[in-house]
Amino acid sequence: MSLIHPTALIDPSASLDSTVEVGPYTVIGPHVKIGAGTTVGAHCVIEGHTTIGRDNRIFQFNSLGAIPQDKKYAGEPCELVIGDRNTIREFCTFNIGSPGDKGVTRVGDDNWIMAYVHLAHDCTVGNKTIFANNTQLAGHVEVGDWVIFGGFTVVHQFVRIGPHAMTAMCSLLFADVPPFVMTQGQPAGARSMNFEGLRRRGYSAERIAAVKAMHKALYRDDLTLEQATARIDALRTERPEAAEDVELMLGFLRGTSAQRGIVR
């Protein structure tokens, strides 16, 4: 029995693995590629230069690969690239990239994306993230691995969210969120570090203690960002067991623009 519902409209030029399932009334355009084991629900539209990997679960009523909501866009062949084993729930909208940036909107692997999530043009999402319902990302946002967004989180364009960060429900982000930081508010401020999430991911007590020390430097000791960065840099030798975590934080802080800054 065919895995493609007879009411689905699939352009002959689209490339779908023979194991892909497509539900009723879904429309798939000519430049779409979908890998093995992926399922696409009913009433979806997948268009543009969109590449989707293996074993994704795409629920009904999604719009993937539409042109960016950018007045400067003039039909350039920009892309949407989605990795493997992602769950994309109902009514999500993922746009392709724009020629003013990378030209690619990219989603990694093993992400859990709930209903009504919007990924604007040129967003980059890592692996193993969770997007609760109605998370909205403006253009050019970068999201690290293991990030968790509370429902109705809204992120300003060009903001970066570091790995293992977490937002509370209804957070409004105008500044970068460093790794491990938990934020809440409108605009969002730093409230703590995501200690429970780190424990669940197998972080040792020693590594968590180093994350606490970084939190103290950034948010508790009334230091400038430059002074806090120097304090964190010293942890590389003071806490060698957490050198990887310290390097993650330093790399993020050194990539923060003066215009955007970090949540404080």
Side-chain angles (χ1 to χ4, degrees):
M1 186 172 63
S2 174
L3 300 177
I4 310 296
H5 194 275
T7 61
L9 299 177
I10 300 175
D11 192 282
S13 298
S15 176
L16 277 61
D17 186 87
S18 61
T19 60
V20 171
E21 298 183 32
V22 181
Y25 302 104
T26 282
V27 179
I28 296 178
H31 305 296
V32 174
K33 301 176 183 179
I34 304 179
T38 290
T39 62
V40 182
H43 295 278
C44 292
V45 177
I46 305 178
E47 57 188 311
H49 290 77
T50 295
T51 301
I52 300 172
R54 302 173 60 92
D55 300 316
N56 295 282
R57 297 177 65 207
I58 301 170
F59 283 68
Q60 56 269 22
F61 304 112
N62 282 289
S63 172
L64 307 177
I67 64 172
Q69 298 175 95
D70 183 346
K71 289 185 176 180
K72 299 185 297 298
Y73 181 75
E76 296 86 350
C78 298
E79 298 180 78
L80 169 66
V81 178
I82 298 173
D84 303 330
R85 300 177 302 279
N86 297 288
T87 296
I88 303 172
R89 295 302 304 249
E90 300 84 354
F91 299 102
C92 292
T93 54
F94 298 179
N95 295 158
I96 60 173
S98 69
D101 193 358
K102 300 176 289 293
V104 179
T105 301
R106 191 177 300 276
V107 178
D109 303 329
D110 301 297
N111 297 289
W112 184 264
I113 300 175
M114 300 185 200
Y116 292 96
V117 168
H118 177 63
L119 301 184
H121 58 87
D122 303 289
C123 285
T124 300
V125 176
N127 307 310
K128 296 181 171 63
T129 67
I130 297 174
F131 286 64
N133 297 313
N134 283 283
T135 298
Q136 307 287 299
L137 270 55
H140 316 280
V141 170
E142 297 180 16
V143 180
D145 298 343
W146 295 103
V147 168
I148 300 175
F149 289 106
F152 295 89
T153 294
V154 178
V155 185
H156 192 276
Q157 62 183 358
F158 294 103
V159 162
R160 299 180 306 140
I161 297 97
H164 304 283
M166 183 174 180
T167 72
M169 183 177 66
C170 297
S171 294
L172 180 55
L173 297 175
F174 290 114
D176 291 353
V177 181
F180 314 112
V181 171
M182 296 181 66
T183 61
Q184 181 269 333
Q186 300 179 346
R191 300 293 181 252
S192 183
M193 294 295 213
N194 188 14
F195 299 123
E196 183 57 32
L198 298 180
R199 292 187 188 98
R200 293 181 181 183
R201 292 162 205 151
Y203 274 57
S204 66
E206 293 78 14
R207 292 178 70 185
I208 290 175
V211 172
K212 289 181 179 179
M214 290 189 282
H215 178 261
K216 189 171 184 290
L218 282 171
Y219 298 111
R220 299 300 182 200
D221 287 348
D222 198 27
L223 302 175
T224 66
L225 182 56
E226 183 178 1
Q227 290 168 333
T229 301
R231 174 84 62 83
I232 293 168
D233 195 6
L235 293 173
R236 288 190 293 183
T237 54
E238 295 172 10
R239 300 177 182 269
E241 69 280 358
E244 178 182 347
D245 308 312
V246 174
E247 288 291 348
L248 182 66
M249 180 65 80
L250 289 172
F252 187 93
L253 294 177
R254 288 167 178 163
T256 296
S257 69
Q259 177 187 9
R260 189 61 41 212
I262 66 168
V263 293
R264 298 303 291 263

